[in-house]
Amino acid sequence: MKNFNIDKMKTNLINGLAHYTMESNLDSIDMNSLLGKELKIHFKKEINCTNCNTLIKKSYGGGYCYPCSSKLAECDMCILKPELCHFANGTCRQPAWGEANCMIPHYVYIANSSGLKIGITRSTQIPTRWMDQGAVAALPILKVSTRYQSGIFEKLFASEINDKTDWRKMLKGNIEEIDLLEKRQEIFEMFGDDIDQLEQKFGTNKIEILEQSEVTTIKYPVLEYPEKVSSLSLDKYTDVGGILKGIKGQYLLFDSGVINIRSHTGYKIDLEYLRG
Ligand SMILES: [Zn+2]
């Protein structure tokens, strides 16, 4: 029996198809190969902090105990809102972590997840970030030197472009195609003056306008999309599962409903293969 604490699924983009794996106590589970099979996830009523492993009743900040969530830089508000990065003030919770993760090149991208969205990511997280969001296509439009700078651009563009994914819509499939190259052009025209000003502010050698970058398209291992998206949570049900119909973003799509794996980080489970 495989029992392990849930962590976000790892992704690999191979020939345009997202491949998912989960790390169990015994092995690395190739999730794509489980499509069409009947699975059961049994919650063992134990959650462990993903940082310090302490047994906790409730997880904070996506898988942490309360002390870790209030102490780690990766749990700070500026991770959700990069425009609030306070590294420059000398108040980063963990300057070495900030140095390694925030004070490095970032991309501002546009993507089609449940429609057009704007987002940012570390250069090392391409294309992982896009698969985690269930994007079917993505295009980097700016390369900047720090997380903070990416946040300022994102906030600027978010005045006109959605910065969130409607996950229910994303999980229904049939996402209408968007010409991202055309959208990039529109954005550069619409925000030309603002981009110039920010380039001046941050230094022209710090900001790279990506006029030639190419669109990445991503397909997902899905046999069938749900007509109605009902959400399964281990806080509500001890056992969830059914026939695995697909995987998209960080969601497993069962015939009985969908479960967001990432939001259960640290939950200890048994994973059983029932049939198929
Ligand atoms: Zn902890």
Side-chain angles (χ1 to χ4, degrees), residues 49-54 56 63-69 71-72:
C49 171
T50 188
N51 183 58
C52 71
N53 210 36
T54 303
I56 48 180
Y64 300 89
C65 67
Y66 184 74
C68 284
S69 80
K71 185 172 76 191
L72 295 173

Side-chain angles (χ1 to χ4, degrees), residues 32-237:
N32 290 37
S33 73
L34 299 179
L35 279 193
K37 298 190 187 332
E38 188 175 359
L39 309 178
K40 187 171 94 175
I41 295 172
H42 171 73
F43 178 35
K44 296 170 80 82
K45 299 278 178 193
E46 263 185 62
I47 308 173
N48 295 92
C49 171
T50 188
N51 183 58
C52 71
N53 210 36
T54 303
L55 187 64
I56 48 180
K57 285 218 169 66
K58 179 180 176 331
S59 86
Y60 297 84
Y64 300 89
C65 67
Y66 184 74
C68 284
S69 80
S70 52
K71 185 172 76 191
L72 295 173
E74 65 201 72
C75 298
D76 204 345
M77 182 51 84
C78 45
I79 294 303
L80 285 177
K81 298 183 174 219
E83 73 275 15
L84 299 181
C85 172
H86 46 97
F87 187 94
N89 303 337
T91 52
C92 182
R93 287 177 175 181
Q94 295 172 289
W97 190 91
E99 195 75 62
N101 292 278
C102 303
M103 306 307 284
I104 60 169
H106 277 63
Y107 286 95
V108 181
Y109 64 84
I110 49 176
N112 183 5
S113 49
S114 56
L116 184 67
K117 86 175 281 285
I118 188 92
I120 67 142
T121 184
R122 274 177 283 165
S123 48
T124 52
Q125 290 301 103
I126 286 179
T128 304
R129 178 83 180 140
W130 301 333
M131 288 185 274
D132 285 348
Q133 292 178 332
V136 294
L139 176 70
I141 61 170
L142 292 173
K143 187 178 183 188
V144 302
S145 315
T146 64
R147 185 173 181 83
Y148 170 73
Q149 291 170 358
S150 71
I152 296 296
F153 279 107
E154 183 185 38
K155 203 162 179 247
L156 169 68
F157 300 146
S159 62
E160 291 291 335
I161 303 163
N162 208 341
D163 60 356
K164 300 221 163 38
T165 296
D166 174 348
W167 61 271
R168 284 179 188 276
K169 193 172 168 203
M170 181 273 284
L171 292 178
K172 279 191 174 172
N174 291 324
I175 303 297
E176 224 171 283
E177 224 173 280
I178 298 173
D179 186 338
L180 294 180
L181 296 177
E182 191 182 293
K183 290 293 171 193
R184 169 173 63 188
Q185 207 46 45
E186 284 174 26
I187 291 168
F188 285 164
E189 279 164 23
M190 196 182 329
F191 293 101
D193 293 343
D194 304 284
I195 294 172
D196 282 350
Q197 278 176 22
L198 286 172
E199 240 189 321
Q200 293 304 320
K201 184 176 163 195
F202 296 136
T204 42
N205 57 339
K206 304 282 186 207
I207 308 298
E208 205 179 317
I209 297 169
L210 304 175
E211 284 173 305
Q212 303 298 328
S213 56
E214 286 173 10
V215 174
T216 298
T217 55
I218 303 168
K219 290 195 166 29
Y220 293 88
V222 177
L223 300 174
E224 201 182 318
Y225 283 102
E227 278 180 25
K228 185 174 162 285
V229 176
S230 53
S231 170
L232 303 170
S233 156
L234 296 176
D235 294 322
K236 245 197 279 176
Y237 311 101

